[in-house]
Amino acid sequence: MIQLHDLQFTPYISEEKIMNSIEELTVKINDDLKGEKPLFIGVLNGSFMFATEIIKRFDGDCEVSFIKMSSYEGTATTEEVKELIGLKEDIAGRTVVVLEDIVDTGNTIEVLIEKLQEKKCKEIKIATLFYKPEAYKKEIKIDYIGISIPNRFIVGFGLDYDGLGRNLTDVYQLKSDNNMTNLVLFGPPGAGKGTQAEVLKDKYNLKHISTGDVFRYNIKNATELGTLAKSYIDKGQLVPDEVTIKMLSEEVDKNSEAKGFIFDGFPRTEAQAQALKVLLESKKASVSAMVALEVDDEVLVQRLLERGKTSGRADDADENVIRNRIKVYYKETAILKEYYEKEDKYFGVDGFGEVPEITSRLSKVIDNL
Ligand code: IMP
Ligand code: MG
């Protein structure tokens, strides 16, 4: 994994694969342009590496020029396309091969081709190293395509994120929530949430973040946030969301290699759900799903009373206390259920049965995310 500015990128396409596709492209270009003396026009800055590799492999005579026409800011296309600059050659009557590093929406190439056509060249061919078919919205035919990729943001081999990454010879993709699974795990007391979290965390290489554990850790180690949290707890007050979120944020940062997180015990309110959303967005991620284990109340009561016989937990011994805890759970989570349902992210899973059976139901949901 590499870091450029604030974002992380993971290896995606090797230099070897890129070179192989360039070899194939040049065979076609050499074939098509036999006997011609084309003008290769590289579109700066991104195409410098690709242009070099193509031009090096051209068999006959050719000329080389570079132009500039940038339409990007950060990782989002800005629709607005700038002017064509740098073309000094008279291209009337000539065969031109435009060399692009990547064609995304096609905005850049469309304007570029329009400008070149005004100059009355004989023929314009377009070659691009990368192409995003899902993002492409134009009619113009791309004559030579190196590698088609899904709609992802990539860097390397000339392509940049905010100026960085152009020198990388392999291509990397933005580490986004596409390859992260962030679960908000819910379940009434006795639903087997802890057991399932343990299994899922190993199965999917996730980090289990139990808010209770995070609090206890920070308080025990008297971290700055832990001490702050304790000052509220000692006064019998609720710990403000900002403090909790900061602790969770540190926990997420500590585990940047994880494939995702299981949030357990948080969020409890809509405001917290919103705060979690903001936290994950700042890490270019999002909640993938709220997964709630659903178990019949009577089953829960029986399970907890059974557990109470051995656990020694006072709150597991009294049936009324148990029923009340279950009631509180449903009251609390109803709002969150609604919140995540609106985002199409709520998944109720039948929590009745053997542990592996329930895991396989949960896995079905996770695998389909
Ligand atoms: P289009 O106008 O949307 O086709 O975008 C073309 C330009 O956007 C390219 O020349 C790049 O400068 C930039 N671009 C598009 N996708 C990416 C990407 O995944 N990584 C880096 N730059 C990109
Ligand atoms: Mg470009």
Side-chain angles (χ1 to χ4, degrees):
M1 200 174 55
I2 54 158
Q3 173 108 20
L4 300 173
H5 299 294
D6 57 329
L7 299 183
Q8 291 173 332
F9 294 82
T10 52
Y12 184 39
I13 304 170
S14 69
E15 181 176 12
E16 193 192 345
K17 194 171 168 210
I18 295 170
M19 286 309 183
N20 286 340
S21 83
I22 291 179
E23 285 294 343
E24 284 172 27
L25 269 191
T26 26
V27 169
K28 278 190 230 151
I29 294 177
N30 274 319
D31 231 32
D32 289 355
L33 301 184
K34 210 166 267 162
E36 306 244 10
K37 201 206 284 172
L39 171 67
F40 285 104
I41 301 182
V43 185
L44 290 176
N45 292 332
S47 78
F48 72 94
M49 275 203 197
F50 176 57
T52 307
E53 298 305 327
I54 292 283
I55 295 162
K56 279 201 292 198
R57 289 170 176 77
F58 188 68
D59 283 339
D61 286 343
C62 67
E63 286 179 50
V64 176
S65 186
F66 286 94
I67 56 170
K68 220 166 180 171
M69 198 162 217
S70 165
S71 72
Y72 250 62
E73 263 169 35
T75 59
T77 186
T78 56
E79 291 296 319
E80 156 249 8
V81 181
K82 291 173 198 139
E83 281 299 283
L84 181 163
I85 44 173
L87 189 65
K88 301 281 189 297
E89 288 79 3
D90 179 14
I91 61 170
R94 303 204 54 182
T95 297
V96 166
V97 184
V98 173
L99 301 174
E100 263 285 21
D101 48 335
I102 188 162
V103 174
D104 184 354
T105 62
N107 289 336
T108 311
I109 205 78
E110 186 183 59
V111 177
L112 176 61
I113 295 304
E114 202 183 284
K115 308 245 171 198
L116 289 177
Q117 271 162 354
E118 287 168 8
K119 299 187 191 294
K120 309 244 179 308
C121 21
K122 181 174 129 199
E123 190 182 15
I124 305 174
K125 300 237 181 228
I126 305 169
T128 185
L129 176 54
F130 297 108
Y131 173 60
K132 298 183 187 170
E134 292 161 17
Y136 192 63
K137 290 188 291 219
K138 306 296 179 185
E139 296 298 322
I140 302 168
K141 178 172 158 268
I142 314 289
D143 304 276
Y144 309 103
I145 293 171
I147 301 174
S148 290
I149 58 165
N151 207 352
R152 308 202 173 137
F153 190 79
I154 58 172
V155 293
F157 214 88
L159 289 108
D160 73 311
Y161 163 52
D162 214 359
L164 295 183
R166 295 195 195 276
N167 56 321
L168 303 164
T169 51
D170 294 317
V171 160
Y172 293 73
Q173 63 170 317
L174 178 64
K175 190 168 181 257
S176 67
D177 49 309
N178 289 339
N179 33 37
M180 244 190 155
T181 306
N182 295 309
L183 305 175
V184 170
L185 187 60
F186 273 94
K193 205 166 46 130
T195 311
Q196 292 300 332
E198 279 307 299
V199 180
L200 293 178
K201 111 181 188 263
D202 292 337
K203 181 165 179 193
Y204 292 97
N205 194 11
L206 307 174
K207 168 81 186 156
H208 179 200
I209 299 187
S210 149
T211 322
D213 290 346
V214 174
F215 266 111
R216 278 186 288 275
Y217 171 87
N218 278 282
I219 291 172
K220 188 169 152 240
N221 291 288
T223 65
E224 203 178 312
L225 289 170
T227 310
L228 185 59
K230 192 170 180 293
S231 71
Y232 290 97
I233 295 168
D234 287 348
K235 280 180 268 172
Q237 293 170 355
L238 283 175
V239 179
D241 285 351
E242 302 100 77
V243 179
T244 312
I245 272 287
K246 273 194 193 132
M247 280 190 208
L248 295 182
S249 176
E250 281 185 359
E251 219 44 44
V252 169
D253 288 340
K254 266 191 241 163
N255 296 282
S256 62
E257 298 290 324
K259 287 247 180 288
F261 297 91
I262 302 176
F263 293 97
D264 176 357
F266 192 93
R268 282 275 164 77
T269 63
E270 194 173 332
Q272 290 181 349
Q274 195 53 39
L276 181 61
K277 185 176 178 162
V278 173
L279 162 69
L280 289 174
E281 264 167 11
S282 76
K283 324 267 177 205
K284 300 288 169 212
S286 64
V287 168
S288 320
M290 166 180 179
V291 188
L293 287 169
E294 292 167 346
V295 184
D296 186 76
D297 285 6
E298 296 316 309
V299 175
L300 292 176
V301 172
Q302 287 319 309
R303 275 190 196 170
L304 289 174
L305 284 174
E306 204 52 44
R307 185 168 88 181
K309 283 182 197 160
T310 52
S311 75
R313 278 177 61 166
D315 58 351
D316 280 352
D318 183 320
E319 187 172 330
N320 287 329
V321 173
I322 291 173
R323 287 194 188 277
N324 194 47
R325 277 164 62 206
I326 297 172
K327 218 187 280 165
V328 169
Y329 166 82
Y330 282 110
K331 211 176 132 208
E332 263 187 1
T333 49
I335 306 146
L336 292 160
K337 182 176 172 183
E338 211 178 289
Y339 178 91
Y340 287 112
E341 261 172 351
K342 260 192 241 151
E343 300 196 343
D344 259 339
K345 287 180 178 171
Y346 176 84
F347 298 89
V349 173
D350 181 6
F352 185 69
E354 298 295 321
V355 172
E357 208 180 321
I358 301 166
T359 305
S360 98
R361 285 181 207 138
L362 288 164
S363 300
K364 216 180 265 170
V365 170
I366 297 169
D367 294 339
N368 277 322
L369 289 175

